[in-house]
Amino acid sequence: MFVVFLLFHIESTRQATYLSLLIIGGIFVPIGISTLLGVRRGTYTNLDVSDQGQRQKWFIATTLLLAIVTAVIWLTDQHRVLQVAVTCALMLLVVAQVVNTRVKASMHLAFHVFLGFLILHFNVVAGIIFLLFAPLLAWSRVYLKRHVWKEIVVGVILGTFFGTAFWLIS
């Protein structure tokens, strides 16, 4: 939802619609369908793809789709903020995939914190409010036994690092 909000904030309605469809149709829909099918086929244990070994396959597909969308955004010379945001998201995903070989970082927290930094860029109050939900999200991941605290901290570090990178570059 933030991506759509961002696009309609920085682009014309026509361009924002095009880019929203590109991102939603090029990343979120295929990954959602792939994940659902993976759970039904038994490739993934659950929709969170919580098994560290199962995540590697998920990472490859997601990274490939995000890389294609990122390339389209750069090749069509879209708004600089969007270019930097998707590039940082792609790098976050690549680094998380490498980190996943040792620690199953919480991608929920990594992207929550990363998006919090993006929101802060446009509206400080909204960004702070969004980030205030991070502890609740962290607790829920531990409560649901999807992560231990070490994995939560690694996710927060990843999100903070790439969120800070977005701020410095954009």
Side-chain angles (χ1 to χ4, degrees):
M1 293 200 54
F2 174 73
V3 171
V4 173
F5 167 78
L6 168 66
L7 292 171
F8 280 91
H9 181 75
I10 64 174
E11 298 287 354
S12 68
T13 302
R14 181 178 179 191
Q15 189 69 3
T17 302
Y18 159 74
L19 290 168
S20 295
L21 291 174
L22 172 68
I23 292 169
I24 292 168
I27 301 171
F28 294 108
V29 170
I31 290 302
I33 291 170
S34 172
T35 304
L36 281 171
L37 291 175
V39 170
R40 285 191 181 156
R41 292 180 187 143
T43 306
Y44 303 136
T45 310
N46 53 49
L47 291 174
D48 289 339
V49 192
S50 293
D51 180 272
Q52 193 171 358
Q54 295 171 358
R55 277 185 165 208
Q56 289 300 67
K57 185 176 180 183
W58 181 89
F59 271 123
I60 291 167
T62 305
T63 302
L64 178 62
L65 290 171
L66 184 54
I68 291 167
V69 169
T70 301
V72 169
I73 286 169
W74 278 90
L75 292 172
T76 57
D77 198 30
Q78 300 303 319
H79 195 283
R80 173 123 172 102
V81 171
L82 181 60
Q83 291 175 334
V84 173
V86 295
T87 301
C88 286
L90 177 59
M91 295 311 299
L92 190 162
L93 209 52
V94 169
V95 170
Q97 184 173 3
V98 172
V99 167
N100 186 63
T101 61
R102 312 270 275 160
V103 176
K104 183 182 76 168
S106 171
M107 296 308 295
H108 282 84
L109 267 297
F111 274 98
H112 182 89
V113 172
F114 174 69
L115 284 174
F117 276 87
L118 268 64
I119 295 168
L120 279 169
H121 182 78
F122 294 97
N123 185 310
V124 174
V125 173
I128 291 170
I129 291 170
F130 187 83
L131 287 169
L132 286 175
F133 283 95
L136 183 59
L137 179 59
W139 171 83
S140 75
R141 305 309 298 158
V142 172
Y143 179 80
L144 292 170
K145 296 183 177 24
R146 299 293 195 236
H147 292 285
V148 296
W149 285 107
K150 174 183 174 182
E151 299 163 344
I152 297 295
V153 170
V154 172
V156 169
I157 290 169
L158 287 172
T160 301
F161 179 83
F162 287 99
T164 302
F166 167 79
W167 267 72
L168 294 174
I169 298 168
S170 65

PDB file of all heavy atoms in Angstrom, residues 39-58:
ATOM      1  N   VAL A  39       2.743 -23.820  -0.666  1.00  0.00           N
ATOM      2  CA  VAL A  39       2.173 -24.387   0.559  1.00  0.00           C
ATOM      3  C   VAL A  39       1.269 -25.568   0.204  1.00  0.00           C
ATOM      4  O   VAL A  39       1.332 -26.624   0.833  1.00  0.00           O
ATOM      5  CB  VAL A  39       1.400 -23.310   1.360  1.00  0.00           C
ATOM      6  CG1 VAL A  39       0.610 -23.936   2.499  1.00  0.00           C
ATOM      7  CG2 VAL A  39       2.369 -22.271   1.909  1.00  0.00           C
ATOM      8  N   ARG A  40       0.449 -25.393  -0.826  1.00  0.00           N
ATOM      9  CA  ARG A  40      -0.467 -26.481  -1.228  1.00  0.00           C
ATOM     10  C   ARG A  40       0.291 -27.716  -1.696  1.00  0.00           C
ATOM     11  O   ARG A  40      -0.134 -28.841  -1.453  1.00  0.00           O
ATOM     12  CB  ARG A  40      -1.398 -26.001  -2.335  1.00  0.00           C
ATOM     13  CG  ARG A  40      -2.477 -25.104  -1.820  1.00  0.00           C
ATOM     14  CD  ARG A  40      -3.531 -24.855  -2.851  1.00  0.00           C
ATOM     15  NE  ARG A  40      -4.536 -23.970  -2.298  1.00  0.00           N
ATOM     16  CZ  ARG A  40      -5.316 -23.205  -3.013  1.00  0.00           C
ATOM     17  NH1 ARG A  40      -5.221 -23.207  -4.327  1.00  0.00           N
ATOM     18  NH2 ARG A  40      -6.208 -22.425  -2.434  1.00  0.00           N
ATOM     19  N   ARG A  41       1.404 -27.510  -2.383  1.00  0.00           N
ATOM     20  CA  ARG A  41       2.207 -28.641  -2.891  1.00  0.00           C
ATOM     21  C   ARG A  41       3.121 -29.236  -1.826  1.00  0.00           C
ATOM     22  O   ARG A  41       3.731 -30.276  -2.048  1.00  0.00           O
ATOM     23  CB  ARG A  41       3.066 -28.177  -4.066  1.00  0.00           C
ATOM     24  CG  ARG A  41       2.269 -27.833  -5.285  1.00  0.00           C
ATOM     25  CD  ARG A  41       3.204 -27.385  -6.401  1.00  0.00           C
ATOM     26  NE  ARG A  41       2.440 -26.897  -7.527  1.00  0.00           N
ATOM     27  CZ  ARG A  41       2.794 -25.866  -8.285  1.00  0.00           C
ATOM     28  NH1 ARG A  41       3.914 -25.213  -8.043  1.00  0.00           N
ATOM     29  NH2 ARG A  41       2.041 -25.498  -9.284  1.00  0.00           N
ATOM     30  N   GLY A  42       3.285 -28.529  -0.712  1.00  0.00           N
ATOM     31  CA  GLY A  42       4.163 -29.004   0.341  1.00  0.00           C
ATOM     32  C   GLY A  42       5.597 -28.519   0.200  1.00  0.00           C
ATOM     33  O   GLY A  42       6.466 -28.915   0.970  1.00  0.00           O
ATOM     34  N   THR A  43       5.850 -27.643  -0.785  1.00  0.00           N
ATOM     35  CA  THR A  43       7.190 -27.083  -0.962  1.00  0.00           C
ATOM     36  C   THR A  43       7.536 -26.189   0.223  1.00  0.00           C
ATOM     37  O   THR A  43       8.683 -26.157   0.669  1.00  0.00           O
ATOM     38  CB  THR A  43       7.262 -26.257  -2.269  1.00  0.00           C
ATOM     39  OG1 THR A  43       6.832 -27.075  -3.349  1.00  0.00           O
ATOM     40  CG2 THR A  43       8.663 -25.755  -2.535  1.00  0.00           C
ATOM     41  N   TYR A  44       6.527 -25.450   0.696  1.00  0.00           N
ATOM     42  CA  TYR A  44       6.674 -24.570   1.858  1.00  0.00           C
ATOM     43  C   TYR A  44       5.777 -25.092   2.976  1.00  0.00           C
ATOM     44  O   TYR A  44       4.638 -25.490   2.727  1.00  0.00           O
ATOM     45  CB  TYR A  44       6.282 -23.130   1.533  1.00  0.00           C
ATOM     46  CG  TYR A  44       7.056 -22.506   0.392  1.00  0.00           C
ATOM     47  CD1 TYR A  44       6.402 -21.766  -0.592  1.00  0.00           C
ATOM     48  CD2 TYR A  44       8.429 -22.634   0.292  1.00  0.00           C
ATOM     49  CE1 TYR A  44       7.102 -21.177  -1.634  1.00  0.00           C
ATOM     50  CE2 TYR A  44       9.136 -22.061  -0.746  1.00  0.00           C
ATOM     51  CZ  TYR A  44       8.464 -21.329  -1.706  1.00  0.00           C
ATOM     52  OH  TYR A  44       9.154 -20.754  -2.743  1.00  0.00           O
ATOM     53  N   THR A  45       6.287 -25.050   4.187  1.00  0.00           N
ATOM     54  CA  THR A  45       5.531 -25.506   5.338  1.00  0.00           C
ATOM     55  C   THR A  45       4.363 -24.585   5.646  1.00  0.00           C
ATOM     56  O   THR A  45       3.298 -25.021   6.054  1.00  0.00           O
ATOM     57  CB  THR A  45       6.460 -25.600   6.573  1.00  0.00           C
ATOM     58  OG1 THR A  45       7.620 -26.336   6.211  1.00  0.00           O
ATOM     59  CG2 THR A  45       5.764 -26.275   7.727  1.00  0.00           C
ATOM     60  N   ASN A  46       4.582 -23.257   5.459  1.00  0.00           N
ATOM     61  CA  ASN A  46       3.529 -22.286   5.753  1.00  0.00           C
ATOM     62  C   ASN A  46       3.695 -21.050   4.870  1.00  0.00           C
ATOM     63  O   ASN A  46       4.686 -20.918   4.155  1.00  0.00           O
ATOM     64  CB  ASN A  46       3.540 -21.904   7.241  1.00  0.00           C
ATOM     65  CG  ASN A  46       4.908 -21.445   7.693  1.00  0.00           C
ATOM     66  OD1 ASN A  46       5.542 -20.605   7.056  1.00  0.00           O
ATOM     67  ND2 ASN A  46       5.394 -22.012   8.784  1.00  0.00           N
ATOM     68  N   LEU A  47       2.717 -20.157   4.934  1.00  0.00           N
ATOM     69  CA  LEU A  47       2.742 -18.944   4.103  1.00  0.00           C
ATOM     70  C   LEU A  47       3.885 -18.006   4.458  1.00  0.00           C
ATOM     71  O   LEU A  47       4.281 -17.171   3.648  1.00  0.00           O
ATOM     72  CB  LEU A  47       1.405 -18.199   4.201  1.00  0.00           C
ATOM     73  CG  LEU A  47       0.210 -18.903   3.556  1.00  0.00           C
ATOM     74  CD1 LEU A  47      -1.081 -18.145   3.844  1.00  0.00           C
ATOM     75  CD2 LEU A  47       0.408 -19.053   2.057  1.00  0.00           C
ATOM     76  N   ASP A  48       4.405 -18.110   5.671  1.00  0.00           N
ATOM     77  CA  ASP A  48       5.532 -17.268   6.095  1.00  0.00           C
ATOM     78  C   ASP A  48       6.860 -17.768   5.529  1.00  0.00           C
ATOM     79  O   ASP A  48       7.869 -17.092   5.650  1.00  0.00           O
ATOM     80  CB  ASP A  48       5.653 -17.254   7.625  1.00  0.00           C
ATOM     81  CG  ASP A  48       4.535 -16.487   8.289  1.00  0.00           C
ATOM     82  OD1 ASP A  48       3.907 -15.647   7.618  1.00  0.00           O
ATOM     83  OD2 ASP A  48       4.298 -16.722   9.482  1.00  0.00           O
ATOM     84  N   VAL A  49       6.865 -18.942   4.945  1.00  0.00           N
ATOM     85  CA  VAL A  49       8.088 -19.602   4.477  1.00  0.00           C
ATOM     86  C   VAL A  49       9.125 -19.503   5.603  1.00  0.00           C
ATOM     87  O   VAL A  49      10.207 -18.952   5.452  1.00  0.00           O
ATOM     88  CB  VAL A  49       8.614 -19.006   3.151  1.00  0.00           C
ATOM     89  CG1 VAL A  49       9.698 -19.889   2.561  1.00  0.00           C
ATOM     90  CG2 VAL A  49       7.498 -18.835   2.129  1.00  0.00           C
ATOM     91  N   SER A  50       8.722 -20.042   6.747  1.00  0.00           N
ATOM     92  CA  SER A  50       9.531 -19.917   7.964  1.00  0.00           C
ATOM     93  C   SER A  50      10.702 -20.875   8.031  1.00  0.00           C
ATOM     94  O   SER A  50      11.645 -20.641   8.784  1.00  0.00           O
ATOM     95  CB  SER A  50       8.646 -20.124   9.198  1.00  0.00           C
ATOM     96  OG  SER A  50       7.731 -19.072   9.291  1.00  0.00           O
ATOM     97  N   ASP A  51      10.660 -21.962   7.288  1.00  0.00           N
ATOM     98  CA  ASP A  51      11.764 -22.913   7.301  1.00  0.00           C
ATOM     99  C   ASP A  51      12.962 -22.297   6.584  1.00  0.00           C
ATOM    100  O   ASP A  51      12.863 -21.872   5.432  1.00  0.00           O
ATOM    101  CB  ASP A  51      11.334 -24.214   6.620  1.00  0.00           C
ATOM    102  CG  ASP A  51      12.441 -25.237   6.604  1.00  0.00           C
ATOM    103  OD1 ASP A  51      13.247 -25.206   5.643  1.00  0.00           O
ATOM    104  OD2 ASP A  51      12.506 -26.049   7.532  1.00  0.00           O
ATOM    105  N   GLN A  52      14.088 -22.263   7.268  1.00  0.00           N
ATOM    106  CA  GLN A  52      15.281 -21.598   6.742  1.00  0.00           C
ATOM    107  C   GLN A  52      15.734 -22.191   5.408  1.00  0.00           C
ATOM    108  O   GLN A  52      16.116 -21.449   4.498  1.00  0.00           O
ATOM    109  CB  GLN A  52      16.411 -21.680   7.773  1.00  0.00           C
ATOM    110  CG  GLN A  52      17.578 -20.783   7.474  1.00  0.00           C
ATOM    111  CD  GLN A  52      18.576 -20.738   8.626  1.00  0.00           C
ATOM    112  OE1 GLN A  52      18.369 -21.351   9.667  1.00  0.00           O
ATOM    113  NE2 GLN A  52      19.648 -20.005   8.453  1.00  0.00           N
ATOM    114  N   GLY A  53      15.649 -23.472   5.248  1.00  0.00           N
ATOM    115  CA  GLY A  53      16.042 -24.111   4.001  1.00  0.00           C
ATOM    116  C   GLY A  53      15.077 -23.802   2.860  1.00  0.00           C
ATOM    117  O   GLY A  53      15.485 -23.573   1.721  1.00  0.00           O
ATOM    118  N   GLN A  54      13.782 -23.794   3.171  1.00  0.00           N
ATOM    119  CA  GLN A  54      12.764 -23.491   2.164  1.00  0.00           C
ATOM    120  C   GLN A  54      12.855 -22.045   1.680  1.00  0.00           C
ATOM    121  O   GLN A  54      12.482 -21.745   0.548  1.00  0.00           O
ATOM    122  CB  GLN A  54      11.368 -23.747   2.728  1.00  0.00           C
ATOM    123  CG  GLN A  54      11.091 -25.179   3.057  1.00  0.00           C
ATOM    124  CD  GLN A  54       9.777 -25.359   3.807  1.00  0.00           C
ATOM    125  OE1 GLN A  54       9.067 -24.407   4.130  1.00  0.00           O
ATOM    126  NE2 GLN A  54       9.453 -26.620   4.097  1.00  0.00           N
ATOM    127  N   ARG A  55      13.363 -21.179   2.515  1.00  0.00           N
ATOM    128  CA  ARG A  55      13.450 -19.753   2.177  1.00  0.00           C
ATOM    129  C   ARG A  55      14.362 -19.477   0.982  1.00  0.00           C
ATOM    130  O   ARG A  55      14.152 -18.525   0.255  1.00  0.00           O
ATOM    131  CB  ARG A  55      13.988 -18.947   3.360  1.00  0.00           C
ATOM    132  CG  ARG A  55      12.938 -18.608   4.332  1.00  0.00           C
ATOM    133  CD  ARG A  55      13.511 -17.716   5.403  1.00  0.00           C
ATOM    134  NE  ARG A  55      12.369 -17.134   6.092  1.00  0.00           N
ATOM    135  CZ  ARG A  55      12.385 -15.987   6.694  1.00  0.00           C
ATOM    136  NH1 ARG A  55      13.478 -15.270   6.709  1.00  0.00           N
ATOM    137  NH2 ARG A  55      11.319 -15.541   7.287  1.00  0.00           N
ATOM    138  N   GLN A  56      15.395 -20.277   0.804  1.00  0.00           N
ATOM    139  CA  GLN A  56      16.347 -20.004  -0.273  1.00  0.00           C
ATOM    140  C   GLN A  56      15.646 -20.000  -1.631  1.00  0.00           C
ATOM    141  O   GLN A  56      15.900 -19.129  -2.456  1.00  0.00           O
ATOM    142  CB  GLN A  56      17.506 -20.998  -0.261  1.00  0.00           C
ATOM    143  CG  GLN A  56      18.476 -20.796   0.903  1.00  0.00           C
ATOM    144  CD  GLN A  56      19.132 -19.420   0.912  1.00  0.00           C
ATOM    145  OE1 GLN A  56      18.495 -18.395   1.111  1.00  0.00           O
ATOM    146  NE2 GLN A  56      20.430 -19.400   0.707  1.00  0.00           N
ATOM    147  N   LYS A  57      14.768 -20.960  -1.869  1.00  0.00           N
ATOM    148  CA  LYS A  57      14.026 -20.997  -3.130  1.00  0.00           C
ATOM    149  C   LYS A  57      13.121 -19.771  -3.248  1.00  0.00           C
ATOM    150  O   LYS A  57      13.014 -19.168  -4.309  1.00  0.00           O
ATOM    151  CB  LYS A  57      13.209 -22.286  -3.217  1.00  0.00           C
ATOM    152  CG  LYS A  57      12.496 -22.466  -4.534  1.00  0.00           C
ATOM    153  CD  LYS A  57      11.777 -23.794  -4.608  1.00  0.00           C
ATOM    154  CE  LYS A  57      11.079 -23.913  -5.945  1.00  0.00           C
ATOM    155  NZ  LYS A  57      10.319 -25.146  -6.051  1.00  0.00           N
ATOM    156  N   TRP A  58      12.458 -19.415  -2.156  1.00  0.00           N
ATOM    157  CA  TRP A  58      11.593 -18.234  -2.138  1.00  0.00           C
ATOM    158  C   TRP A  58      12.407 -16.977  -2.433  1.00  0.00           C
ATOM    159  O   TRP A  58      11.980 -16.126  -3.215  1.00  0.00           O
ATOM    160  CB  TRP A  58      10.894 -18.121  -0.778  1.00  0.00           C
ATOM    161  CG  TRP A  58       9.982 -16.954  -0.671  1.00  0.00           C
ATOM    162  CD1 TRP A  58       8.658 -16.920  -1.000  1.00  0.00           C
ATOM    163  CD2 TRP A  58      10.311 -15.634  -0.202  1.00  0.00           C
ATOM    164  NE1 TRP A  58       8.152 -15.655  -0.765  1.00  0.00           N
ATOM    165  CE2 TRP A  58       9.149 -14.856  -0.278  1.00  0.00           C
ATOM    166  CE3 TRP A  58      11.486 -15.051   0.270  1.00  0.00           C
ATOM    167  CZ2 TRP A  58       9.115 -13.514   0.110  1.00  0.00           C
ATOM    168  CZ3 TRP A  58      11.457 -13.718   0.643  1.00  0.00           C
ATOM    169  CH2 TRP A  58      10.283 -12.967   0.565  1.00  0.00           C
TER     170      TRP A  58
END
